[in-house]
Amino acid sequence: MTTTPQATTRPAGAVGTAHTRVEGRDKVTGAARYAGEIPFDGLAHGWLVASTVARGRIRSVEAEPVLAMPGVLAVLRHGNAPRITTDYEGVVGRPDPALGIFQHDRVPYVGWPVALVVAETSEQAREAAEALMIQYDEEPHDVAFFAGRPGLYTPEDSRFVQAEAVKGDVDAELAASAFVVDAEYTTPEEYHSPLEPHAATAHWDGGRLDVVDSNQSTVWVADELAKLFSLDPASVRVRSEHIGGGFGSKGVRPHQVAAVLAATVLHRPVRVVLTRRQMFSLVGYRSPTAQRVRLGADPDGRLRALDHQAQSVTSTVHEFVEGSAMPGRVLYDAAAHRTTHRLVRLDVPTPTWMRAPGEAPGSFALESALDELAEKCGLDPIALRARNEPEVGPVSGLPFSSRNVLACFEEGARRFGWAERDPRPGVRREGRWLLGTGTAAATYGARVGPSTGAVTAEADGTFTVRINAADIGTGARTALTLIAADALAVAPEQVRVHIGDSDLGPAMFAGGSMGTRSWAWAVLQAAGELRERLALSDGIPPEGITVRSDTSASVSALAAKERHSFGAQFAEVAVDVTTGEVRVRRMLGVFAAGRIVNPLTARSQFVGGMIWGLSMALHEEGYRDPASGGQVGADFAGYHFAANADVPDIEAHWVDDPDPDDPVGIKGIGEIGVVGSAAAVANAVWHATGVRHRHLPIRPDRVLSAGAAAESERERGRGDA
């Protein structure tokens, strides 16, 4: 028996119209369950124990007293844990050796996993873990990072970061420049800290490993676990239905490995949830940076030289490069370009991708330096940027798929009231508050990766989309629902989207602002073929009609172009001359980020990113104690970030900018809201006070000390005169 789909009136077009999240009601009512909430029969709980020394060896683990405590089932550590391997090449390259937990007695940093206590309840596991005595043979450690420190080296190129790019003779062009900026900028350690902690439950189901997890790609985690435990990939399933934020941190981490180890030993489900403090050392962070930017310009402000040298940290066990020098390779034309990255190995956890990796700290340095150059040239900061607009990629020489950064500045200036700005610093005042405005450019790569998907026409007239996407809070489920609805010429209410299950097949991970774009290609391909089949069929059988897609060929056939989203950031600040407090009064971002699928969730993404930039400019600062090697204030009390009272009037808008080579016109919006926003705030602080701040965050003590130093300098000048 076959049935015919119910007739529906095709909407004018779901893509581009505002829709609330399809899973929104489940989340606000508590029906949506996260990784640490899903029940399992016979569930045991694991609690990780982390090293308290920064370097050395484990001398002993006194497990016997702990094993006698109520409810304790096992203490896994080196010497009794099953063997695993980290000698492989995974989806993103060689794995971090931190995944090889309990395989040896070496300790490379504070927070390194040294044991897992498993008990019947979470409370019993925690109590026993805190009672576990571990003795170490401690060795001298080094965690100090500063500009130009000994041990810096140039890393090899990777698929993510080109270590160095050079065009022309930078030193000769600087020597021939009428105006030169040569300044150093620093950013501190910063931490993802998503609201939902990292959590994983592992159990064996009929000889198959099943892991319920909170991650940014179930297929990535499943593939890595299969390699770590030498399993057939088909025998590993990872599910991650709802995720409470990730920002780059929710990849493959030690807690998933620990859960699998314990489930294998105990033959029962085991859940491991990280504490907030453990997340500061076990799931990565943004490396601190020291950046030197040199700009040389002709009298009319045209750049002759752009030199951006970025230094950052990696661990002694794994290499990660924070690509801070990359924005200049795209944003500005110059006769000579040099952008370099250098690393130093320290006894610290390995940094990782954190929302807008590279571009976030790099744009602070570069866009602050551009503002300094505008001051020297006597040019409006927007006019200086317009004067140095490239026609093609400044370093690559490739054409841009589209480039509307000047349209963003034009629209932003109109909305912000930039034309009424007095360019002189330190002249606007309201009582004890000095007022200033600043701006900065933003850019982030528009990438796409291969994905597979399936669309089924159901017998009841609805459609089911199955694709291994991950919605980490971006609204990906809703966006894919709208895209599928338009492709199928039906209302969004007729479409159901299933995501977050490695059994759904390979698909791009949620990261690099390329998740929705990549998944959309696969959905469109399958939906298009399904419509063709439906047009030729005389009905739908009870099992439905399914079409599967694979975009590998389409992605690899893309023409070589520079593909980027762009934006213009604006900020107004007030600076208290008596306390040094900086208050952001308003922020405005205008973006050219491809076709906007869902304006409601897109605006949320842009605004959220801008708040990150505000937080980066004024609050966030991880501090590592040189004596212990560990973090100070590794919690939400000690690590400061923007709270409700810090968030001002924030607006996000966009200009028309569809990517002509993308089936939907998408570019990606997850990261670009962060880029340039810290620089816009810092430039506004200069405009308010007349004092440059090149070191983040711009704390009150730094404002007061910089103001005092500037006043002392002025006094000396008056004395000399």
Side-chain angles (χ1 to χ4, degrees):
M1 177 181 177
T2 61
T3 59
T4 309
Q6 299 173 355
T8 59
T9 302
R10 181 180 181 181
V15 171
T17 60
H19 281 70
T20 57
R21 296 172 187 265
V22 295
E23 83 285 9
R25 179 177 292 275
D26 287 346
K27 285 185 173 178
V28 298
T29 60
R33 295 185 302 183
Y34 292 82
E37 300 175 323
I38 297 174
F40 285 87
D41 292 336
L43 180 66
H45 298 264
W47 201 277
L48 278 170
V49 180
S51 164
T52 56
V53 304
R55 186 180 179 89
R57 290 186 178 276
I58 301 169
R59 185 193 312 155
S60 64
V61 178
E62 299 176 16
E64 292 307 316
V66 167
L67 288 168
M69 295 177 69
V72 174
L73 302 169
V75 177
L76 298 181
R77 72 269 189 199
H78 81 278
N80 75 348
R83 304 307 298 170
I84 56 180
T85 179
T86 56
D87 185 19
Y88 65 85
E89 190 80 12
V91 174
V92 295
R94 302 285 297 178
D96 187 336
L99 299 179
I101 57 175
F102 317 146
Q103 301 299 294
H104 54 76
D105 63 355
R106 291 291 310 171
V107 173
Y109 51 75
V110 170
W112 178 266
V114 292
L116 179 77
V117 176
V118 188
E120 295 287 354
T121 70
S122 176
E123 293 79 8
Q124 290 170 333
R126 178 173 186 170
E127 182 181 9
E130 291 176 349
L132 184 65
M133 296 295 295
I134 301 178
Q135 303 295 329
Y136 302 93
D137 291 323
E138 196 168 354
E139 299 170 5
H141 64 264
D142 182 2
V143 299
F145 174 71
F146 50 87
R149 63 149 292 154
L152 286 165
Y153 70 95
T154 302
E156 293 186 3
D157 291 346
S158 72
R159 71 183 80 173
F160 304 107
V161 178
Q162 181 183 358
E164 184 173 50
V166 179
K167 181 186 78 172
D169 189 332
V170 167
D171 293 329
E173 295 294 342
L174 284 169
S177 296
F179 301 105
V180 173
V181 169
D182 185 346
E184 292 189 352
Y185 306 85
T186 64
T187 61
E189 289 185 16
E190 297 167 0
Y191 294 89
H192 310 74
S193 293
L195 190 60
E196 180 205 15
H198 295 61
T201 305
H203 70 112
W204 290 91
D205 183 8
R208 195 174 190 217
L209 176 62
D210 187 15
V211 179
V212 176
D213 186 32
S214 177
N215 62 57
Q216 294 177 226
S217 170
T218 58
V219 70
W220 175 19
V221 174
D223 181 73
E224 298 277 335
L225 290 176
K227 289 181 169 65
L228 285 162
F229 289 92
S230 302
L231 300 172
D232 180 349
S235 69
V236 180
R237 182 187 188 190
V238 176
R239 293 175 285 157
S240 186
E241 186 178 0
H242 296 290
I243 306 137
F247 314 117
S249 73
K250 285 186 175 173
V252 188
R253 301 297 179 191
H255 70 288
Q256 297 139 328
V257 181
V260 175
L261 283 172
T264 302
V265 169
L266 295 174
H267 307 289
R268 60 188 288 187
V270 177
R271 175 171 295 155
V272 179
V273 180
L274 296 185
T275 67
R276 183 66 57 187
R277 180 171 291 275
Q278 288 172 342
M279 287 165 60
F280 275 76
S281 60
L282 285 179
V283 301
Y285 57 98
R286 200 192 303 281
S287 167
T289 70
Q291 304 175 59
R292 183 185 182 189
V293 180
R294 296 191 297 168
L295 303 175
D298 285 335
D300 64 355
R302 296 186 190 277
L303 284 171
R304 298 181 68 105
L306 188 156
D307 184 26
H308 191 166
Q309 304 168 35
Q311 301 172 9
S312 60
V313 163
T314 192
S315 70
T316 60
V317 296
H318 192 58
E319 184 173 278
F320 179 83
V321 182
E322 184 74 30
S324 303
M326 294 192 296
R329 298 174 183 175
V330 176
L331 277 174
Y332 303 112
D333 201 4
H337 264 262
R338 181 168 59 206
T339 47
T340 63
H341 300 92
R342 303 190 74 197
L343 294 177
V344 62
R345 296 188 184 277
L346 298 178
D347 301 313
V348 297
T350 307
T352 193
W353 302 286
M354 180 169 164
R355 196 175 188 182
E359 277 82 357
S363 65
F364 163 66
L366 179 63
E367 292 299 299
S368 295
L370 257 290
D371 208 64
E372 297 198 41
L373 183 62
E375 178 192 358
K376 286 196 173 190
C377 295
L379 287 173
D380 179 86
I382 296 177
L384 176 68
R385 288 167 171 83
R387 197 155 295 179
N388 291 284
E389 249 312 82
E391 294 184 0
V392 297
V395 177
S396 70
L398 297 173
F400 289 97
S401 60
S402 63
R403 182 184 173 99
N404 288 310
V405 64
L406 294 186
C408 294
F409 273 111
E410 181 179 352
E411 178 67 9
R414 182 186 69 80
R415 289 178 176 273
F416 196 75
W418 188 262
E420 290 76 44
R421 178 184 192 257
D422 187 332
R424 297 174 298 165
V427 297
R428 289 180 59 202
R429 186 161 185 160
E430 290 180 0
R432 71 177 193 270
W433 297 96
L434 290 171
L435 307 182
T437 53
T439 190
T443 185
Y444 197 81
R447 306 173 183 90
V448 65
S451 295
T452 61
V455 180
T456 300
E458 306 288 359
D460 63 359
T462 64
F463 295 84
T464 303
V465 176
R466 295 178 177 85
I467 187 163
N468 197 9
D471 192 336
I472 57 175
T474 57
R477 262 191 196 85
T478 310
L480 293 174
T481 299
L482 303 184
I483 290 165
D486 278 8
L488 295 164
V490 299
E493 293 73 24
Q494 289 179 262
V495 177
R496 295 186 301 270
V497 176
H498 294 287
I499 64 173
D501 186 338
S502 62
D503 277 359
L504 297 176
M508 181 50 55
F509 52 78
S513 293
M514 58 182 169
T516 300
R517 184 184 192 192
S518 303
W519 306 322
W521 282 33
V523 171
L524 280 175
Q525 187 180 101
E529 293 180 17
L530 178 60
R531 284 189 68 184
E532 293 177 2
R533 285 187 56 180
L534 290 177
L536 298 174
S537 70
D538 57 359
I540 301 175
E543 69 275 13
I545 298 175
T546 298
V547 172
R548 292 177 172 80
S549 63
D550 185 342
T551 65
S552 300
S554 302
V555 169
S556 62
L558 276 178
K561 291 182 181 178
E562 284 276 2
R563 301 179 186 278
H564 287 257
S565 294
F566 294 95
Q569 304 274 15
F570 295 82
E572 179 180 1
V573 304
V575 183
D576 190 325
V577 296
T578 58
T579 66
E581 178 187 7
V582 178
R583 281 281 177 185
V584 176
R585 289 194 166 185
R586 60 189 176 115
M587 294 182 76
L588 167 70
V590 179
F591 303 96
R595 189 180 183 193
I596 302 302
V597 176
N598 185 357
L600 187 65
T601 52
R603 182 169 279 108
S604 175
Q605 285 293 292
F606 288 136
V607 168
M610 293 166 68
I611 294 171
W612 270 50
L614 181 161
S615 197
M616 177 181 179
L618 303 181
H619 302 289
E620 295 195 41
E621 183 177 25
Y623 178 74
R624 197 166 292 277
D625 179 12
S628 70
Q631 298 112 324
V632 176
D635 51 46
F636 279 172
Y639 182 69
H640 295 170
F641 51 87
N644 286 351
D646 300 300
V647 177
D649 176 18
I650 298 184
E651 293 184 40
H653 303 276
W654 46 86
V655 299
D656 190 42
D657 181 51
D659 187 332
D661 298 317
D662 185 274
V664 186
I666 295 172
K667 281 189 175 180
I669 62 175
E671 259 103 351
I672 195 169
V674 184
V675 183
S677 48
V681 172
N683 292 338
V685 171
W686 167 80
H687 187 233
T689 64
V691 178
R692 289 284 175 189
H693 287 270
R694 302 184 181 99
H695 310 287
L696 295 186
I698 306 173
R699 303 188 311 250
D701 61 311
R702 286 177 168 169
V703 173
L704 292 176
S705 61
E711 181 59 31
S712 177
E713 186 66 26
R714 286 192 290 269
E715 287 292 338
R716 283 197 296 270
R718 286 191 285 267
D720 294 341

